[in-house]
Amino acid sequence: MKKIVMATCLLLASFSVVNGQSIVKGIVLDNDSKKPIKDVLVKIKNTSKNQFTDLNGNFIIRNFQNGKVILELKLVGYETQNIPIETSGQTLDLGSIFLFKEVIENQDLSLITLTDDELNDDASSADNISGLLQSSKDIFLRTAAYEFSSSFFKIKGLDSGNGKVLINGVEMNKVYDGRAQWGNWGGLNDVLRNQEFRNGLTPSDVTFGGLLGSTNMNTRASEQRPGIKIAYSSSNRSYQHRMMATYSSGMLKNNWAFTFSGSRRIGNEGFNDATSYNAYSFFTSIEKKLSDKSSINFTGIYTPNRRGKSSPNTQEVFDLKGIKYNDYWGFLNGKKKNSRIKEVSEPILMLNHYWNLSKKTAINASIAYQFGKIGNSRIDYNGGSNPSAAYYQNLASYFLRYDDFEGAYTAENNFKNDGQINWNRIFDANNTNKDSGLENAYVLYEDRNDDKQLTINSILNTEINENISINGKIEYKQLRSHNFASVIDLLGGEGYLDIDPFGANEEEKQNDLLNPNRIVKEGDEFKYNFNLNSTIIAAFTQAQFRYNKTDFYAALNVSSTTHQREGLYKNGSFSESSLGKSEAQKFMNYGFKTGVTYKFTGRHLVDLNVAYISAAPTIRNTFSNSRENNNVVLDLQSEKILSTDISYVFRSPIITSKVTAYYTSVKDATEISFYFADGVGGDNTAFVQEILHGINKKHLGLELGLEAQVTSTINLKGAAAIGQFTYDNNPNLYLTTEADTESLVAGFVNGFKDFGKTNLKNYKLAAGPQKAYSLGFEYRDPDYWLIGATLNFFSNTFIDVSPLNRSQNFYTDDDGLPFLEYDNEISKGLLEQEKFANYSVVNLIGGKSFIIKKYYISVFATVNNLLNKIYKSGGFEQGRNANYRQLLEDKSLDKPVFGNKYWYGRGATYFMNVSVSF
């Protein structure tokens, strides 16, 4: 029936009625009842021309551009129709257009169950990439979004920062690390549905994009679905309950349009122990139509949220406590209290002016301001012992290393029976110190960054003729970021001494020489205090050409980036390089991409894209230790990226398929890590900053998606990702630390030690499963219910290796010569990269929708990992055993003291949603 409707519309589009202006009209009917439908939004896509159908389902749109355009029809509870039409200054009567009721609102699944639930900053910052993909019709990308993302799968093995996220044409990726902070608009699913997704290198009208494409979320009030929607969700993933309500007026007769939305997400505990969730979301969009050619829209977004983190653990810990175990909490007054809370509160204010200069040219001018804070809490203990129950000296393996079997037995029983932070002991220690006139032994604090970011941009889209269009954008972005530590709770004490207890002398112990031995209270700043300032000026231009057989494009991007640190404390260990402004780091970057699509027939297409991009280092990778000094990474360079892909697409009435081959080369990347290392320059220890620079990476593979509509109700689908993501050279490695006696003994000169090359070439990148496969089906009943199931298989997931262990430090004794007992064959075994076991998971989906009078009711549920499969989703080698002698000794134990740390995937989880729209 749908094919007949589309064919009829296309046929009608070829007829003309003599008239002096471009007009399209028609009547919209319900496909089942054949009755007229009112309040359907009918619009010419990418223009301001739109109208709502009247009581009789009629619409008429006048005075729009001639040529090929897309007519879009939208109404809550119905599938959106996109009808290609062509006009030439005449009236086009489309007659009757039928809308089909939605069976299930699938888009709810992508944003509700994934964008919040799978976000896990602790797992190698595996930001959820599936939120970028929800609007795509590509079967592979939908599978990556719905099926693969919970296993921390990364498309093409790339970090989520390679995908650009925009709201109304304003880029939202963070300047600090390049990633989008999805929590800034979490819980606002209903008002973020209007999205334009561009996959990979394909062209976008609003941005040059990234290797993973771009998503532009349109929040214009006039383009939201008119009506009210109320929803309730229940889950055992991140939050337990969610309530959401949305109202949109549509464009009123007085040329105003309003949209308001709010939600509440809450949970005492997610899948992992003590991972509490507490979030509010508020949204408003107000649009004023100034004339037929222009309108102005204000968008306000405020989504304060707090969530408890979960810890990575060694296998010894998981074997004793299970995969839900979380090291970060303990009981306080009978309730679970998590010491690691992430709090995000960053409102977004945005003003957009939409101006159609002519029928073929439009400008979107924007100004956006985002401000607020991100805080990550933890316990500091400069006067006490490590409070973690999973600290290595509290576990059985530590005692077994010294053949202390009684101590090991006691430690294991203590950990099995409790194994959590002892908050009462912390309070007792602080109270005891207070009674003795001493400062706190412990304090709860948060690492804070308070950002203020201003973005101004203007986007031009113009159609030269029916075949050629030009896009352009200029952008100015300014970030002022204040970074510091702040006391949250004195935990029963009266004050905390602001020093570094590991400093070698009184001067080096001072976090701020300008305020030595300062006692801090709740709300005070301490430990470190500095500003990061960035300015980015960018412009891109793009030409797109569309013809019957061939489409092609070319785009150019130019940007100027400046980063600068301003120290507000004079650190005792870096007294010469911590206070004041650093030298400004300036980068000029370019990007070029081009692509062509050749249409052999309407069913067979080939798409080719290629890009060369230079990207400025993020602030995170510019300064080697920004908390303490102004030092810049040595030989800092922009990343150079070469990427290409080629796709073959086959479309028939039954089968839709696409296969893509890709290759990406990244050169001159930088990575910075912080950890406590044993065995640096022999048997010495130090807290170090590890700077790995000049990194080359290689990503290549195949992506395959296939969908078959075998009957009118049964749909079969399959997808495969076969990748290989590796280090492609031996990059440079050096360490920095405090310039004290201990570091001097370890071979550091002024807190610096160069280890030359580290042998990483051909080691696998820790990018989630490098191979993933999915096979599934959906049954959509004509009576508006749906069931579906998928079987997903994952393999080639690797641990994140330690670069220091692959450097000369691994085999060098403190005299600079190789260890006498060094054995090459044993060394190869010690340094072999751990490959996780293959695993498979089964996911289910089901639901039903109803229309009762004017109310549209949707009920659906998903179950992930139905069979409760236990699997490792990620992990890293600890840097504590930094040389051959110590690593061999540790790995020879039945239970290594400093074994690899892991994250496990969730077991069986569910998500259920009920919504009512009217």
Side-chain angles (χ1 to χ4, degrees):
M1 184 62 187
K2 293 182 182 180
K3 296 172 188 173
I4 294 173
V5 172
M6 291 298 293
T8 302
C9 292
L10 290 172
L11 182 61
L12 288 170
S14 65
F15 289 93
S16 311
V17 176
V18 177
N19 201 308
Q21 57 183 347
S22 294
I23 298 174
V24 62
K25 63 181 181 179
I27 180 172
V28 182
L29 306 175
D30 182 282
N31 181 64
D32 297 323
S33 66
K34 304 300 185 289
K35 294 181 179 180
I37 310 175
K38 69 172 183 175
D39 292 330
V40 178
L41 176 62
V42 184
K43 65 171 293 186
I44 305 295
K45 291 197 73 171
N46 300 318
T47 75
S48 62
K49 297 295 183 181
N50 64 77
Q51 191 185 66
F52 291 97
T53 56
D54 61 20
L55 290 172
N56 298 315
N58 294 306
F59 71 88
I60 182 168
I61 300 178
R62 306 175 185 273
N63 299 327
F64 60 91
Q65 65 187 36
N66 297 331
K68 297 176 181 179
V69 296
I70 301 295
L71 188 72
E72 183 181 63
L73 298 92
K74 294 198 301 186
L75 180 65
V76 63
Y78 290 84
E79 294 181 1
T80 298
Q81 288 272 23
N82 287 284
I83 302 173
I85 61 176
E86 185 171 2
T87 61
S88 56
Q90 299 173 331
T91 299
L92 179 61
D93 189 349
L94 297 178
S96 298
I97 302 173
F98 295 98
L99 288 192
F100 300 85
K101 294 186 179 71
E102 288 182 325
V103 179
I104 287 292
E105 292 186 88
N106 279 328
Q107 287 184 346
D108 277 346
L109 298 178
S110 61
L111 284 176
I112 295 174
T113 70
L114 296 174
T115 300
D116 291 320
D117 287 351
E118 310 303 349
L119 184 64
N120 189 331
D121 287 351
D122 296 324
S124 301
S125 294
D127 302 306
N128 178 264
I129 49 106
S130 36
L132 296 173
L133 310 175
Q134 68 90 22
S135 56
S136 171
K137 300 299 182 183
D138 184 291
I139 178 60
F140 173 79
L141 294 178
R142 282 191 285 123
T143 301
Y146 303 143
E147 310 295 342
F148 294 166
S149 64
S150 59
S151 292
F152 300 99
F153 172 82
K154 295 184 178 181
I155 291 179
K156 296 181 173 66
L158 295 169
D159 184 90
S160 62
N162 288 284
K164 301 301 181 182
V165 182
L166 303 94
I167 298 178
N168 300 334
V170 177
E171 185 178 320
M172 304 307 298
N173 294 58
K174 288 288 188 179
V175 175
Y176 176 74
D177 59 9
R179 301 186 181 108
Q181 176 69 47
W182 283 93
N184 286 151
W185 48 86
L188 297 174
N189 312 61
D190 287 341
V191 293
L192 299 178
R193 295 188 181 282
N194 293 335
Q195 299 189 12
E196 179 185 278
F197 174 70
R198 290 293 180 262
N199 180 31
L201 299 173
T202 55
S204 165
D205 293 345
V206 295
T207 181
F208 182 80
L211 297 180
L212 290 178
S214 63
T215 296
N216 183 40
M217 295 178 280
N218 180 358
T219 65
R220 289 183 68 173
S222 65
E223 298 191 8
Q224 299 288 333
R225 286 180 173 180
I228 297 173
K229 181 175 180 180
I230 301 172
Y232 168 78
S233 303
S234 177
S235 176
N236 68 337
R237 297 175 182 173
S238 288
Y239 52 78
Q240 294 170 319
H241 306 282
R242 189 198 68 175
M243 292 70 70
M244 183 167 62
T246 301
Y247 165 75
S248 186
S249 68
M251 185 59 72
L252 302 174
K253 292 181 180 180
N254 60 1
N255 292 327
W256 286 88
F258 303 91
T259 297
F260 305 102
S261 185
S263 74
R264 178 83 162 94
R265 291 162 290 160
I266 192 169
N268 291 326
E269 192 167 68
F271 181 83
N272 294 101
D273 296 337
T275 50
S276 59
Y277 201 106
N278 188 8
Y280 294 87
S281 300
F282 306 97
F283 172 92
T284 182
S285 179
I286 302 173
E287 182 174 359
K288 170 62 175 175
K289 184 178 178 181
L290 303 176
S291 69
D292 289 339
K293 290 187 175 183
S294 74
S295 66
I296 191 167
N297 192 97
F298 168 78
T299 300
I301 297 174
Y302 180 45
T303 58
N305 60 87
R306 289 170 51 90
R307 58 184 180 86
K309 293 185 175 183
S310 59
S311 61
N313 302 297
T314 62
Q315 195 59 51
E316 176 185 8
V317 170
F318 280 118
D319 289 342
L320 292 173
K321 303 292 282 188
I323 67 171
K324 292 187 176 183
Y325 173 74
N326 182 9
D327 172 37
Y328 296 153
W329 69 275
F331 282 105
L332 180 63
N333 298 325
K335 296 181 179 180
K336 292 180 179 179
K337 180 178 177 62
N338 194 326
S339 64
R340 302 283 186 100
I341 299 291
K342 180 172 184 177
E343 182 174 2
V344 179
S345 179
E346 295 187 304
I348 301 170
L349 305 176
M350 187 179 299
L351 194 64
N352 295 82
H353 179 230
Y354 299 93
W355 183 22
N356 296 323
L357 279 75
S358 68
K359 296 178 182 179
K360 295 185 177 182
T361 302
I363 293 179
N364 172 13
S366 310
I367 181 169
Y369 183 63
Q370 184 174 12
F371 59 98
K373 72 168 188 176
I374 297 178
N376 289 276
S377 69
R378 61 190 307 157
I379 298 172
D380 200 45
Y381 46 95
N382 67 19
S385 60
N386 192 319
S388 167
Y391 182 56
Y392 76 98
Q393 293 184 8
N394 295 329
L395 298 176
S397 57
Y398 176 74
F399 297 91
L400 291 174
R401 181 169 66 174
Y402 303 106
D403 296 326
D404 182 356
F405 299 105
E406 181 179 353
Y409 177 80
T410 301
E412 183 166 307
N413 279 327
N414 288 340
F415 187 72
K416 287 171 65 175
N417 294 331
D418 185 6
Q420 304 301 152
I421 292 174
N422 190 331
W423 287 104
N424 289 329
R425 184 170 65 86
I426 289 173
F427 274 84
D428 287 344
N430 284 343
N431 282 323
T432 299
N433 282 10
K434 181 172 64 174
D435 293 341
S436 303
L438 300 175
E439 301 85 16
N440 282 33
Y442 299 88
V443 70
L444 184 68
Y445 79 99
E446 65 178 346
D447 294 306
R448 280 272 295 276
N449 56 281
D450 291 3
D451 287 359
K452 298 177 181 179
Q453 181 171 303
L454 174 69
T455 304
I456 303 173
N457 68 21
S458 184
I459 302 170
L460 171 71
N461 292 294
T462 185
E463 186 177 296
I464 304 300
N465 55 44
E466 64 180 13
N467 302 117
I468 303 173
S469 61
I470 301 294
N471 318 112
K473 180 179 183 178
I474 56 174
E475 177 184 53
Y476 172 82
K477 184 180 296 183
Q478 183 185 76
L479 171 69
R480 297 292 180 261
S481 178
H482 183 202
N483 298 259
F484 57 96
S486 176
V487 177
I488 297 175
D489 193 333
L490 289 173
L491 303 176
E494 286 192 344
Y496 190 68
L497 182 61
D498 182 20
I499 63 167
D500 175 5
F502 297 102
N505 53 53
E506 189 64 26
E507 178 176 314
E508 291 180 1
K509 287 183 179 181
Q510 300 304 320
N511 290 319
D512 184 11
L513 287 170
L514 303 180
N515 294 282
N517 297 317
R518 186 166 59 114
I519 305 301
V520 292
K521 307 286 187 178
E522 290 180 9
D524 287 345
E525 299 170 0
F526 76 121
K527 289 179 75 73
Y528 62 90
N529 196 349
F530 63 98
N531 292 324
L532 290 173
N533 302 317
S534 286
T535 301
I536 300 173
I537 302 173
F540 104 95
T541 184
Q542 177 177 265
Q544 300 183 63
F545 306 85
R546 301 180 182 89
Y547 298 96
N548 290 335
K549 280 287 188 180
T550 307
D551 297 340
F552 60 95
Y553 72 93
L556 176 68
N557 187 68
V558 181
S559 65
S560 171
T561 302
T562 302
H563 299 320
Q564 188 174 44
R565 178 190 185 272
E566 180 186 10
L568 303 178
Y569 282 179
K570 187 175 184 179
N571 186 279
S573 297
F574 302 94
S575 58
E576 301 300 321
S577 60
S578 55
L579 186 65
K581 293 183 178 181
S582 71
E583 183 178 346
Q585 301 301 304
K586 299 180 179 181
F587 307 91
M588 181 65 70
N589 297 100
Y590 308 90
F592 175 77
K593 66 178 182 178
T594 186
V596 59
T597 300
Y598 184 75
K599 296 163 272 190
F600 293 97
T601 68
R603 295 187 177 183
H604 301 271
L605 299 88
V606 172
D607 184 62
L608 173 66
N609 300 279
V610 63
Y612 177 80
I613 303 169
S614 70
T618 62
I619 302 179
R620 185 185 188 280
N621 291 328
T622 296
F623 301 97
S624 59
N625 182 10
S626 59
R627 288 189 176 180
E628 295 184 329
N629 58 60
N630 287 332
N631 296 339
V632 177
V633 171
L634 293 181
D635 193 28
L636 184 64
Q637 299 183 48
S638 295
E639 289 187 12
K640 289 86 176 176
I641 303 168
L642 175 66
S643 184
T644 184
D645 62 69
I646 184 169
S647 301
Y648 167 71
V649 180
F650 172 72
R651 299 182 298 206
S652 75
I654 296 177
I655 295 176
T656 300
S657 64
K658 180 180 180 181
V659 59
T660 300
Y662 61 87
Y663 170 81
T664 297
S665 171
V666 179
K667 296 184 182 298
D668 293 325
T670 300
E671 295 178 0
I672 301 176
S673 303
F674 301 83
Y675 57 88
F676 193 87
D678 285 331
V680 179
D683 294 325
N684 304 289
T685 62
F687 181 80
V688 299
Q689 296 83 51
E690 177 187 85
I691 294 88
L692 195 64
H693 63 111
I695 308 168
N696 296 348
K697 303 176 185 179
K698 181 169 62 177
H699 304 250
L700 57 89
L702 292 171
E703 297 171 344
L704 172 66
L706 186 146
E707 197 168 26
Q709 193 71 44
V710 294
T711 72
S712 60
T713 56
I714 297 177
N715 180 46
L716 301 181
K717 55 185 180 178
I722 305 169
Q724 180 174 290
F725 320 129
T726 59
Y727 287 101
D728 201 33
N729 74 328
N730 295 322
N732 302 299
L733 171 69
Y734 70 90
L735 302 182
T736 63
T737 188
E738 297 178 357
D740 53 23
T741 303
E742 290 183 354
S743 67
L744 188 63
V745 171
F748 286 77
V749 178
N750 295 324
F752 173 88
K753 187 171 185 178
D754 189 353
F755 291 89
K757 301 290 185 181
T758 177
N759 298 308
L760 293 181
K761 187 171 183 179
N762 296 325
Y763 274 94
K764 302 297 191 297
L765 298 173
Q770 301 200 6
K771 295 183 179 180
Y773 308 88
S774 180
L775 184 64
F777 80 93
E778 285 183 357
Y779 174 81
R780 290 178 175 266
D781 191 88
D783 198 26
Y784 311 124
W785 58 270
L786 161 73
I787 59 170
T790 55
L791 173 64
N792 306 292
F793 178 79
F794 302 93
S795 66
N796 287 34
T797 306
F798 297 90
I799 199 83
D800 194 5
V801 297
S802 167
L804 184 59
N805 281 2
R806 276 82 184 171
S807 73
Q808 63 182 12
N809 184 79
F810 186 70
Y811 58 83
T812 304
D813 207 341
D814 53 10
D815 58 4
L817 299 174
F819 292 109
L820 294 176
E821 71 272 27
Y822 187 81
D823 185 289
N824 276 326
E825 290 303 313
I826 294 176
S827 175
K828 288 179 181 178
L830 293 174
L831 298 180
E832 183 178 359
Q833 187 174 18
E834 181 182 355
K835 179 182 178 181
F836 298 159
N838 303 338
Y839 60 95
S840 58
V841 297
V842 175
N843 298 334
L844 300 181
I845 179 176
K848 183 172 175 57
S849 60
F850 314 83
I851 293 184
I852 302 175
K853 296 183 179 180
K854 65 176 182 177
Y855 297 96
Y856 176 79
I857 303 171
S858 172
V859 180
F860 67 80
T862 63
V863 178
N864 281 2
N865 196 2
L866 176 69
L867 303 180
N868 200 33
K869 181 69 175 181
I870 296 176
Y871 60 90
K872 293 174 182 175
S873 61
F876 58 92
E877 295 177 352
Q878 293 197 67
R880 294 296 295 257
N881 296 308
N883 64 39
Y884 172 84
R885 179 181 292 155
Q886 294 191 353
L887 187 61
L888 176 61
E889 178 185 356
D890 200 40
K891 285 198 171 184
S892 298
L893 301 172
D894 292 334
K895 295 181 179 180
V897 178
F898 298 113
N900 297 338
K901 286 199 169 185
Y902 306 105
W903 284 276
Y904 273 79
R906 291 171 177 159
T909 60
Y910 77 92
F911 177 84
M912 183 273 293
N913 185 76
V914 180
S915 66
V916 179
S917 304
F918 54 94

